[in-house]
Amino acid sequence: MSDVAIARGGPEAQSLFRLRTIVILVGVGVAAFAAMLIAAAYAPGSIPKGGGAAHAVSNSAVGYSGIIRLAQAAGYETRVVRDEDWLDSRGLMVLTPQTADTPMSDIIARRRGLPTLVVLPKWLTMTDPRRPGWVAYVGLLPPGEPYGVLAPANKLGITRTRSGGAPLVTAGWLGDSAIHIAAPRPLQTISGANLTPLLTDHAGRIVLAQIGDGPLYVLADGDLLSNMGMRDGANAAAAIDLLDQLNVSNEPISFDVTLVGLGRSPNPLRLAFDPPFLAMTLTLVAAMLLAGWQAFMRFGPPARRERAIAFGKAALVDNSAALIRKARRQARLGGRYAEVVRERAVIAFGVPAKLRDKGIDDYLDKLSGRATFSELAAAAGAATDKASLVAAAQALHDWRKEKGT
């Protein structure tokens, strides 16, 4: 029976497996792997452009990527919101719903008390198959589409007029602003209750209004902010000033794309690094480090330990004696030792084969000596402790030597 234990090797083994080198290699590998996991968890990822729809990352004529780049060039801080957790962030939030069935109630409720601009849809377009990112003009959306964006909470009348590109007029608390912007052609305007006009055409029709007393605004015509409207430098500058006035703070101007289906889904890997799961992650990392440390402390070539039971008769006798000692049965071996001496004496002295037990003892007792065999055998069988057993066994051994066996 044998087993194998792990132990540190000699100089030759250490030259092949240096503990310091292995620790450095494993440490670098673990650090690189952890960095990769964290980067994958918090990476912004790539979001599709979403075709040529009217949203913040669209480069089409009806998109709004132009005003974002222009605002950044002018020194304004802007961001495109792809995560729903950021929908209630401070600063102006520009919402660009595409159709009447876009769910708006939840996001407006979340942004209660925060500046929010809702840009109503206007154009019906289709993707240009020949030029990716471009759109082809189809016509104006039915009035029910922009009307339904804020309905039924806010029922807005939708009107389209031939503006002729006349300048728009500021009104309300925006009336003192030096914002000069030309009306799009055609111009989409709104009407309804609970509206405070902020930007109108020359006939007083509302282009931009404040809803109620909170910082909730609605822009009837998205061409004022779209890429198509950025073609004129003066109008582009006026559009930037308009957003700055509505922001009324130094917070970033945000453009939402979650309403058009370009939001980022939650990253399951990121959960491992965010509370409350971060504690479990750290616990697992600590457990792995401890397991690795234990493995390195036991590192080395396999070294054989001595056998639990050695080879040879002497080893067998030693093991048997050890078992007898552990069992505390030494005193009971006196009678058996006497039998062994008797068997050897029978052979040595040529005891007749017809004799048995007592006859053999009587024959051996007739041999001259200081003590008879039967007395010595009886003393050995009657031993009750280790001392008496040793004395009786020594006496039998001396008897054998005296008789020359």
Side-chain angles (χ1 to χ4, degrees), residues 115 159 310 333 398:
T159 305
L333 296 178
D398 293 341

Side-chain angles (χ1 to χ4, degrees), residues 144-396:
E145 291 295 335
Y147 166 82
V149 168
L150 295 175
N154 298 279
K155 298 180 179 180
L156 306 177
I158 305 298
T159 305
R160 277 79 176 261
T161 59
R162 295 178 179 271
S163 65
L168 298 178
V169 181
T170 56
W173 60 264
L174 200 59
D176 297 334
S177 303
I179 296 177
H180 304 284
I181 186 169
R185 306 178 186 181
L187 176 63
Q188 181 171 277
T189 59
I190 56 175
S191 59
N194 205 26
L195 295 180
T196 300
L198 297 179
L199 198 62
T200 66
D201 65 358
H202 64 281
R205 289 183 286 264
I206 301 175
V207 179
L208 173 66
Q210 179 179 355
I211 301 178
D213 298 329
L216 176 60
Y217 311 102
V218 55
L219 179 62
D221 199 316
D223 289 348
L224 272 67
L225 304 179
S226 68
N227 297 332
M228 182 168 50
M230 296 297 103
R231 293 179 299 179
D232 184 270
N235 284 356
I240 294 294
D241 291 340
L242 176 62
L243 294 181
D244 183 56
Q245 291 292 328
L246 297 179
N247 194 20
V248 298
S249 68
N250 292 325
E251 300 291 339
I253 301 175
S254 303
F255 292 80
D256 168 74
V257 293
T258 62
L259 290 177
V260 295
L262 298 181
R264 182 187 296 112
S265 58
N267 189 343
L269 183 60
R270 184 171 178 176
L271 294 177
F273 301 100
D274 289 338
F277 299 103
L278 178 60
M280 181 180 294
T281 302
L282 294 177
T283 301
L284 293 176
V285 170
M288 289 188 293
L289 289 177
L290 291 175
W293 177 254
Q294 182 187 22
F296 278 119
M297 293 303 294
R298 291 168 53 92
F299 187 79
R304 291 184 178 275
R305 293 191 302 195
E306 295 183 359
R307 290 179 55 86
I309 301 177
F311 292 110
K313 296 180 180 180
L316 181 59
V317 171
D318 290 340
N319 290 332
S320 300
L323 291 175
I324 294 172
R325 284 195 300 270
K326 288 183 177 294
R328 298 181 180 181
R329 295 293 187 268
Q330 301 98 317
R332 298 186 181 182
L333 296 178
R336 298 194 178 180
Y337 182 70
E339 292 178 2
V340 172
V341 175
R342 180 186 292 110
E343 291 175 358
R344 299 192 64 173
V346 167
I347 298 174
F349 297 119
V351 177
K354 63 180 181 178
L355 297 179
R356 295 290 184 269
D357 300 334
K358 190 176 182 306
I360 296 176
D361 291 347
D362 293 340
Y363 183 89
L364 296 177
D365 287 344
K366 295 176 181 180
L367 300 176
S368 61
R370 290 174 295 178
T372 62
F373 175 79
S374 58
E375 292 176 352
L376 297 176
T384 58
D385 54 28
K386 182 179 179 181
S388 59
L389 174 64
V390 172
Q394 184 65 46
L396 283 171

